[in-house]
Amino acid sequence: MIANGGNTHKPLPAFGPTAPLAAAGAVRTYTLTLNAGLESTGVYADALSIGGMIERSATYEATSAYGDTGAALSTFDPEDLAECAWKLFTERDRAEGVFTASTS
């Protein structure tokens, strides 16, 4: 499983200077292509795109200490992320899980 930022699924130009979008997008594409290529072997690869802050994480806590910065970032419960990752691993019915503002 490859976990990456949400920019790999829905590019946000404002984050362009701070995130290696081309490389992240290439890793996502590689993972999805790898999964398709290995399908008949029983080997599985998947991608988890997380387009926001993970609640209760160190980064979330540090950012929250600044109060309302006016930035509208989606937040995701780590238990939801863990459940998605577990389903990707156990069910193997899709090659990607996506958490973005539109899926929260």
Side-chain angles (χ1 to χ4, degrees):
M1 175 176 290
I2 302 293
N4 224 326
N7 278 335
T8 61
H9 188 72
K10 183 179 179 184
L12 299 172
F15 293 126
T18 61
L21 295 179
V27 169
R28 175 181 175 255
T29 299
Y30 173 74
T31 304
L32 299 178
T33 303
L34 179 64
N35 183 66
L38 294 172
E39 185 175 16
S40 65
T41 69
V43 177
Y44 179 72
D46 61 37
L48 181 61
S49 299
I50 306 168
M53 300 286 288
I54 301 172
E55 296 168 1
R56 301 187 304 273
S57 69
T59 302
Y60 178 83
E61 297 299 328
T63 304
S64 297
Y66 289 104
D68 184 9
T69 62
L73 294 174
S74 298
T75 61
F76 303 103
D77 187 322
E79 293 177 21
D80 293 338
L81 297 171
E83 181 179 349
C84 179
W86 182 249
K87 284 184 177 181
L88 285 169
F89 177 73
T90 59
E91 295 175 7
R92 300 180 179 208
D93 61 345
R94 58 194 167 114
E96 183 173 34
V98 179
F99 285 83
T100 63
S102 61
T103 60
S104 60

